[in-house]
Amino acid sequence: MTNEFSHISVLSREVISGLEICQGGHYLDATVGGGGHSCLILEAAPDVRVTAIDQDEDALAAAKKVLVEYAQRITFISSNFANYQFPIAKFNGIIADLGVSSYHLDSPERGFSFRYEGDLDMRMDRRQSLTAAEIINHWDEKTLANIFFEYGEERLSRRLARRIVEQRPFQTTTQLAQAIASGVNAKYRHGRIHPATRVFQALRIAVNEELKSLETFIEKAPHSLVPGGRIAIISFHSLEDRIVKHRFRDSPLLKVLTKKPILASEEEIKMNSRSRSAKLRIAERIKDN
């Protein structure tokens, strides 16, 4: 089963409004995904240019198809946004959407979800060697417990780490999810979310070093903004949002424009349930005195 790359961009109107797209401006889409936000930026004002980066080759290929009519105004770069070589004072605005795409969740061979059987992979950049299988089958029990607790906020982290070490090796997503479910009591097993949800989130974050990459990105990105330029970041869980909130606030180069995060409207949530957990924060590059 292989899906076409799809990702519904969340908080689109709020992003375009918040970035204040200007005629002839140059914008960085740090997570181009399926190209949704880049398309809206290019449509928003005449002669706008976009530099679009993504670490996933499938995402870049999809974005190139979606944005083919804007080919003369967009440059694509294959990179993790933390590794991008940020030019000084080049962009009028920067957008990063930290959400996992529907494509990743719905493609069994990528190993992000336990809804389908697939290899324990979870790599956004398939050029890297570290996979979820390597972590689950070879890392020690204490390290696994720490990952589940810190990255998944899983209160049963120690119990689940012990269970996994006892039953490994695991080859597939469903094998791991079933082992986790069998290791908890019935109340937890039949709760609001599947008991493997937080472990899978933690593994994905660990495989892709998502929180470390986000911190590096927010440290580097403001230097690339022109004075008065804006950066907008959409996060999807509390760990990410906390980093964005604190790094924006603590940056000597930024002025925070969103005291509280912007949330999806009820209308958008009805159309796209995954937007329910989205939080948008915006900051502005301080003008030179």
Side-chain angles (χ1 to χ4, degrees), residues 136 139-166 168 176 179-180 183-184 188 195-200 202-203:
I136 282 295
W139 289 17
D140 65 74
E141 182 180 323
K142 182 178 179 181
T143 303
L144 289 178
N146 288 341
I147 288 171
F148 300 161
F149 184 76
E150 292 175 18
Y151 295 164
E153 300 179 295
E154 173 55 70
R155 60 186 179 85
L156 299 181
S157 57
R158 291 180 181 176
R159 180 195 297 187
L160 295 180
R162 190 179 316 118
R163 181 85 172 185
I164 286 166
V165 169
E166 288 171 354
R168 65 189 187 187
L176 177 59
I180 292 169
V184 301
Y188 200 70
T197 300
R198 294 184 182 91
V199 168
F200 270 64
L203 284 172

Side-chain angles (χ1 to χ4, degrees), residues 75-245:
T75 302
F76 293 97
I77 297 173
S78 176
S79 175
N80 179 298
F81 61 16
N83 298 328
Y84 175 63
Q85 299 299 309
F86 287 89
I88 300 299
K90 182 172 184 177
F91 300 114
N92 299 88
I94 298 172
I95 169 66
D97 177 349
L98 306 179
V100 179
S101 72
S102 301
Y103 164 81
H104 289 120
L105 295 173
D106 296 338
S107 298
E109 67 273 13
R110 300 302 297 267
F112 285 94
S113 173
F114 48 79
R115 287 185 296 152
Y116 313 104
E117 185 168 37
D119 291 340
L120 284 163
D121 192 324
M122 299 195 192
R123 292 172 297 171
M124 287 290 185
D125 183 347
R126 286 186 281 190
R127 293 169 296 187
Q128 76 174 46
S129 58
L130 181 64
T131 65
E134 174 69 21
I135 292 174
I136 282 295
N137 291 323
H138 299 288
W139 289 17
D140 65 74
E141 182 180 323
K142 182 178 179 181
T143 303
L144 289 178
N146 288 341
I147 288 171
F148 300 161
F149 184 76
E150 292 175 18
Y151 295 164
E153 300 179 295
E154 173 55 70
R155 60 186 179 85
L156 299 181
S157 57
R158 291 180 181 176
R159 180 195 297 187
L160 295 180
R162 190 179 316 118
R163 181 85 172 185
I164 286 166
V165 169
E166 288 171 354
Q167 296 196 8
R168 65 189 187 187
F170 297 96
Q171 274 76 45
T172 69
T173 53
T174 49
Q175 286 175 347
L176 177 59
Q178 288 164 6
I180 292 169
S182 68
V184 301
N185 61 41
K187 181 180 178 181
Y188 200 70
R189 186 159 56 245
H190 302 295
R192 187 175 58 86
I193 64 170
H194 191 284
T197 300
R198 294 184 182 91
V199 168
F200 270 64
Q201 172 183 299
L203 284 172
R204 192 197 77 229
I205 290 172
V207 168
N208 298 290
E209 295 190 324
E210 292 179 17
L211 302 184
K212 180 181 177 182
S213 293
L214 177 58
E215 290 186 345
T216 301
F217 169 70
I218 300 176
E219 180 184 335
K220 291 180 175 180
H223 296 277
S224 266
L225 288 170
V226 299
R230 294 183 173 187
I231 179 170
I233 300 181
I234 302 171
S235 62
F236 286 83
H237 56 73
S238 60
L239 298 174
E240 291 173 338
D241 182 58
R242 200 174 302 138
I243 290 172
V244 176
K245 176 183 177 181

Side-chain angles (χ1 to χ4, degrees), residues 5 19 27-28 40 42 77 108 117 177 224 226 232-233 239 265:
F5 195 101
L19 287 178
Y27 294 84
L28 174 67
L40 292 171
L42 290 159
I77 297 173
E117 185 168 37
S224 266
V226 299
I233 300 181
L239 298 174
S265 65

Side-chain angles (χ1 to χ4, degrees), residues 4-18:
E4 286 292 317
F5 195 101
S6 64
H7 181 62
I8 302 172
S9 297
V10 303
L11 294 165
S12 297
R13 288 177 299 183
E14 293 83 354
V15 166
I16 299 305
S17 173

